[in-house]
Amino acid sequence: MDMSGMDMSGSSGGMDMTAGPDNFDMQRIFWTVISAAVGCAVAVNVFEQFLYRQRLYAAMRRDSTPSKPKAAIFRTTATVTAIAREVVNASCTLRFSRAVRWTTPTLGRASLVAGELVLVLVLCFYRLNPDDEWQWESIGYRTGHIAVAQLPLVVLLAGKRSIVGYLVGSSYERLNWIHRWTARILFLTVTIHMGYWFADWARYDYIHKKMTTDVIVKRGFAAWVILLWITLSTLAPARRWNYELFFIQHVATFVGFFAAVYLHLPRDDKFWVWISVGFFLFDRCARVLMTIFTNVSVFRKSPRQGGFWACKATFEPLTSDMTKVVIRNPPISWEPGQHLFLSCHSVVPLQSHPFTIASLPQDGRLELLIKSKKGGTRGFLEYATKNQGLPLPNEDSSRRPDRVVTIEGPYGQIRPLRQFDSVFLMAGGSGCTFTIPLMRDLVSCWMKTAPALSDPRGHRALSFPGAVTRYIRFIWVVKSRQQFDWFSGQLLAVKQDVQNLRDAGHSVEMEATIYITCDHRLVSGNAADQRTERDFAHGEAKQASIDTTLNPSLEKLKASDYEITSIHSQPSNSEERDFPSTTCGTDGKCCCTNAIEEDEITSSQIQECQCHHETADIKAVNKESIRETFTEHATAVDISRPPADRGKASESLDTAVLSGRPQSRNLIQRTLERALGESAVVVCGPHDMVTEVRQSVVSLSDERAVHKGTGAQGIYFHAESFEL
């Protein structure tokens, strides 16, 4: 019996399939279904683009509720969308103990993976009986054909300049999980392919002979071993252990896998490898050409930085684990929320890392806040600390020496938030580099449209899109007050811009709350900064100051015009503590995890750490200390309008600084209850925060019966996570 199989040289694999589709037909069916799925995603993307422009047009026509569907077709679409969002984002958390819990993948992701898996298995076994040993050879042929047909899809979903991503309106990082699961389904298909051949040979005790004498079998087994390693090494623990090492070995094993597959395949199926290689080379060439165009000065209309390279950056240490990188006059433009890849080979050779852009193009500079962990990010911090030193007060960072850097991007995509009536933004720690630019962009859009909207004929003269948004809710959860300094100037500029708009009669609102887990300076007798040698030993960068470069009008602010309050704590006798009251935990670290409600405290107060179970005794800071407090901790205290001018307008500008964990569900619910149209909920932070907000959105959408006759409006949800 001829057992040289596994070469898949026959279209039907030795089985009479004249009564049905052959193996090449199955490959075409696979790609027909995949193309149909991509086509549906493209249709959704086109509709969202149309909806965005329709809402902006309605806003320019002075529609009071431009984001609310009115026509029957739009109401029907909104209902279908609301149901789909609830299903797609649904997940549950399984608690095995107080310390152990597991959150299931969202139903949308699970359904997509299950759908592809079912498609592949149906195509592999259609009209074949797995229990019939005389059909095992045919199953081996069929599964081999289906496996090789999946190769181009795996490569398409892996590219950063992804054609699929461009068509469906999604960036590479949001497709990467589909790439990983598609590769795992490919591994399953290849394993079935190999397993049925081994089972067929085992009937004649032929496995050892084939493995030692058949070169095609050897190459196929080598491809399976490499694919097994790729599958295991892409699991989350392996990726997070050392990402640089993971990336290098991933590329190397990818090349080895495709080489082994190419040598294993018969001539009729080698074109699948060439298609995959073509997609890979297209992505790489596009990235290289765009990187050269961006970073070489000769391609710029006017050399911006001088010399051959267009990008030069300064590195500044902010804290013991945070580095600020500034590229002045950047050669690219970007949208808020996007990120880029930064490399500085003179500091960290042969490494490139993605970082969210923390500034807007109109700032005239590109800012990155890089949290130091290990590898390249640690190298950036060590260089900044060693060569730059801690910045002095009022030091001009533009005078610091520059380093040539290379940038690639920008990448990332989010639906424009200016099309939503209310926007809820929540960030954890350095996640604010994603949400603050989004907030600033919305306020900037308000400022641009304000003159035109004040003119009865403004909608005709408007040369830029208006904003549908009326209300912004900003939440920032931090572990240390040092983090306030990162965006003190930007937050104050936003608050001042909103105040100017409200003074001019525009009905816009912005509320901001900062939740701090624990800080010894909140326990001190006043709100002034209590600096210690320990602060500087851990690399605290500078005194907090107001950055007026983003809004010159802030220079006119004077501390004596504002009320600043501080909290003095009285220990409660209701509970004894066996550790000092100056910290939250026995180890001196933060344990401030109590969920708190903003209604429990006025928005113009700083609340003491609730881990102490202390009651707040509010006292005003004496006037002599006001100026020092305002200058050094502008974002650590509430800054509202002068007492004589207090009123409804100031309510939207209060920034509350609270200790504890926010109750995201209640915060989101209040935002939704005041919305007159579709709202957006955007979160960027650790996995647990993203999961909590996502589940809250799904729960509220179901509870409020969004677009199901109750009048409750839709909720768009977007999440960015720190997870790799």
Side-chain angles (χ1 to χ4, degrees):
M1 181 177 180
D2 181 15
M3 298 299 299
S4 61
M6 278 190 85
D7 61 357
M8 300 188 302
S9 59
S11 63
S12 62
M15 178 182 178
D16 182 13
M17 302 195 57
T18 57
D22 61 19
N23 292 336
F24 293 117
D25 291 331
M26 291 299 180
Q27 292 175 330
R28 286 188 286 268
I29 293 174
F30 173 80
W31 274 99
T32 299
V33 176
I34 295 297
S35 300
V38 173
C40 292
V42 171
V44 172
N45 181 39
V46 171
F47 177 77
E48 290 179 349
Q49 295 294 330
F50 167 78
L51 197 63
Y52 167 58
R53 287 166 174 77
Q54 184 267 337
R55 289 177 177 178
L56 295 185
Y57 179 71
M60 289 187 285
R61 295 182 59 190
R62 299 181 180 278
D63 188 337
S64 59
T65 56
S67 62
K68 181 178 180 179
K70 300 176 180 63
I73 185 173
F74 288 111
R75 292 198 303 270
T76 303
T77 304
T79 301
V80 174
T81 301
I83 296 174
R85 286 172 175 171
E86 293 177 12
V87 173
V88 167
N89 290 305
S91 66
C92 64
T93 300
L94 305 177
R95 300 181 182 274
F96 302 99
S97 66
R98 295 186 60 182
V100 180
R101 61 182 178 179
W102 177 69
T103 301
T104 63
T106 61
L107 190 57
R109 289 193 172 189
S111 300
L112 192 59
V113 173
E116 183 182 354
L117 178 60
V118 170
L119 171 64
V120 169
L121 293 179
V122 168
L123 294 177
C124 287
F125 294 101
Y126 178 71
R127 297 180 67 113
L128 295 175
N129 184 6
D131 296 328
D132 185 356
E133 61 182 18
W134 299 106
Q135 295 189 23
W136 288 352
E137 181 179 322
S138 298
I139 295 176
Y141 278 116
R142 173 76 65 78
T143 52
H145 281 80
I146 299 302
V148 73
Q150 297 177 58
L151 294 178
L153 181 61
V154 173
V155 177
L156 268 177
L157 296 173
K160 289 184 171 56
R161 299 284 178 179
S162 174
I163 301 174
V164 174
Y166 176 79
L167 293 175
V168 304
S170 181
S171 186
Y172 77 93
E173 75 279 1
R174 308 191 74 81
L175 297 175
N176 194 258
W177 73 270
I178 310 179
H179 158 72
R180 293 196 296 268
W181 277 104
T182 301
R184 291 162 187 166
I185 293 175
L186 170 64
F187 173 73
L188 175 62
T189 311
V190 173
T191 302
I192 296 174
H193 166 68
M194 183 182 68
Y196 272 96
W197 276 113
F198 278 12
D200 188 50
W201 296 334
R203 294 183 299 165
Y204 308 98
D205 195 19
Y206 208 52
I207 296 179
H208 181 267
K209 181 175 179 62
K210 296 292 293 184
M211 291 291 293
T212 55
T213 61
D214 194 329
V215 65
I216 294 179
V217 175
K218 292 180 180 179
R219 294 166 180 171
F221 186 75
W224 180 85
V225 170
I226 297 174
L227 186 58
L228 172 63
W229 169 256
I230 292 176
T231 303
L232 295 177
S233 64
T234 54
L235 296 177
R239 298 197 312 271
R240 297 168 188 164
W241 176 66
N242 191 317
Y243 188 81
E244 289 82 5
L245 179 60
F246 158 77
F247 179 78
I248 294 173
Q249 66 84 27
H250 192 63
V251 174
T253 51
F254 163 81
V255 174
F257 171 71
F258 269 82
V261 169
Y262 183 82
L263 296 174
H264 173 69
L265 291 176
R267 181 178 303 175
D268 292 341
D269 281 306
K270 290 184 183 294
F271 72 94
W272 290 108
V273 175
W274 287 116
I275 293 175
S276 304
V277 172
F279 286 146
F280 175 79
L281 293 178
F282 171 81
D283 175 72
R284 288 292 169 174
C285 290
R287 292 175 58 187
V288 170
L289 291 176
M290 290 301 299
T291 302
I292 294 175
F293 180 78
T294 299
N295 293 278
V296 178
S297 297
V298 69
F299 295 108
R300 320 315 306 173
K301 292 183 178 180
S302 58
R304 304 179 180 227
Q305 299 285 355
F308 182 77
W309 300 106
C311 298
K312 295 183 179 179
T314 58
F315 293 78
E316 176 185 344
L318 294 183
T319 62
S320 61
D321 64 348
M322 187 66 64
T323 307
K324 180 179 180 180
V325 179
V326 179
I327 301 175
R328 300 186 180 276
N329 300 317
I332 62 171
S333 182
W334 63 92
E335 297 294 330
Q338 289 189 308
H339 65 275
L340 53 75
F341 284 79
L342 174 75
S343 58
C344 182
H345 300 299
S346 61
V347 177
V348 182
L350 303 178
Q351 291 191 31
S352 181
H353 296 271
F355 304 108
T356 303
I357 304 174
S359 58
L360 296 179
Q362 55 261 37
D363 297 339
R365 61 181 182 270
L366 190 153
E367 294 185 359
L368 306 172
L369 268 65
I370 302 175
K371 187 174 182 61
S372 174
K373 293 184 177 180
K374 56 184 179 180
T377 55
R378 173 59 61 178
F380 288 147
L381 179 62
E382 291 176 351
Y383 167 79
T385 304
K386 178 180 179 180
N387 295 278
Q388 312 296 112
L390 295 173
L392 300 175
N394 302 321
E395 179 183 357
D396 185 4
S397 61
S398 63
R399 297 181 180 179
R400 294 173 173 270
D402 294 337
R403 282 286 183 176
V404 173
V405 296
T406 301
I407 59 176
E408 179 193 346
Y411 297 107
Q413 192 163 349
I414 180 176
R415 288 183 65 185
L417 297 183
R418 63 186 65 177
Q419 65 180 298
F420 299 104
D421 179 85
S422 300
V423 177
F424 179 90
L425 302 170
M426 187 172 187
S430 57
C432 64
T433 58
F434 180 80
T435 58
I436 285 184
L438 294 172
M439 176 182 64
R440 290 186 57 209
D441 180 67
L442 289 171
V443 175
S444 175
C445 190
W446 285 347
M447 297 296 292
K448 290 178 181 178
T449 57
L453 294 178
S454 299
D455 184 355
R457 296 176 298 175
H459 65 278
R460 297 180 182 177
L462 199 61
S463 59
F464 41 79
V468 179
T469 309
R470 299 180 308 105
Y471 174 71
I472 302 173
R473 187 70 171 97
F474 178 78
I475 304 294
W476 187 12
V477 184
V478 298
K479 290 184 178 180
S480 170
R481 189 186 297 265
Q482 294 179 8
Q483 294 173 304
F484 297 168
D485 300 345
W486 300 349
F487 293 100
S488 59
Q490 296 185 24
L491 289 174
L492 286 175
V494 167
K495 289 160 66 73
Q496 184 63 29
D497 287 340
V498 175
Q499 180 62 68
N500 293 338
L501 288 169
R502 294 184 63 82
D503 289 343
H506 296 282
S507 58
V508 294
E509 295 182 67
M510 192 276 289
E511 293 184 80
T513 305
I514 299 175
Y515 289 82
I516 187 169
T517 55
C518 186
D519 194 310
H520 68 280
R521 281 167 289 189
L522 280 176
V523 185
S524 59
N526 56 59
D529 186 10
Q530 301 295 327
R531 296 181 178 271
T532 64
E533 293 182 359
R534 181 175 178 269
D535 293 332
F536 289 97
H538 284 73
E540 185 180 41
K542 59 181 178 181
Q543 297 178 344
S545 59
I546 302 175
D547 183 2
T548 60
T549 59
L550 299 178
N551 192 336
S553 62
L554 291 176
E555 297 178 353
K556 300 178 182 179
L557 296 175
K558 293 183 179 180
S560 58
D561 295 333
Y562 294 84
E563 287 186 350
I564 302 177
T565 59
S566 177
I567 290 180
H568 300 261
S569 301
Q570 300 293 336
S572 173
N573 295 327
S574 61
E575 182 175 348
E576 293 293 329
R577 295 274 181 172
D578 57 358
F579 52 89
S581 61
T582 56
T583 60
C584 289
T586 56
D587 56 357
K589 296 182 179 180
C590 172
C591 64
C592 196
T593 58
N594 290 342
I596 60 175
E597 287 283 356
E598 292 186 5
D599 292 342
E600 299 173 0
I601 182 172
T602 61
S603 60
S604 59
Q605 297 173 1
I606 304 174
Q607 185 171 342
E608 192 64 46
C609 176
Q610 292 192 354
C611 291
H612 296 278
H613 295 279
E614 297 166 341
T615 57
D617 177 25
I618 304 173
K619 298 176 65 176
V621 181
N622 58 60
K623 193 165 184 176
E624 288 75 16
S625 65
I626 287 181
R627 182 174 300 276
E628 178 183 2
T629 304
F630 179 78
T631 302
E632 294 188 354
H633 283 286
T635 59
V637 297
D638 169 59
I639 305 175
S640 56
R641 298 192 67 190
D645 298 330
R646 278 182 174 268
K648 185 176 180 180
S650 67
E651 293 177 1
S652 64
L653 296 181
D654 288 339
T655 300
V657 180
L658 308 177
S659 293
R661 180 171 57 85
Q663 294 190 5
S664 58
R665 191 182 192 279
N666 295 342
L667 294 171
I668 296 172
Q669 183 174 7
R670 292 170 189 165
T671 301
L672 300 178
E673 288 174 348
R674 64 189 303 165
L676 302 179
E678 187 176 17
S679 300
V681 176
V682 180
V683 59
C684 181
H687 176 74
D688 289 346
M689 172 183 286
V690 171
T691 299
E692 180 181 348
V693 173
R694 177 186 286 110
Q695 293 178 345
S696 298
V697 169
V698 174
S699 174
L700 288 169
S701 179
D702 178 65
E703 178 183 300
R704 292 166 52 82
V706 168
H707 287 306
K708 302 180 183 71
T710 62
Q713 298 301 302
I715 313 170
Y716 165 71
F717 176 75
H718 181 92
E720 296 284 335
S721 180
F722 296 160
E723 303 295 331
L724 288 175

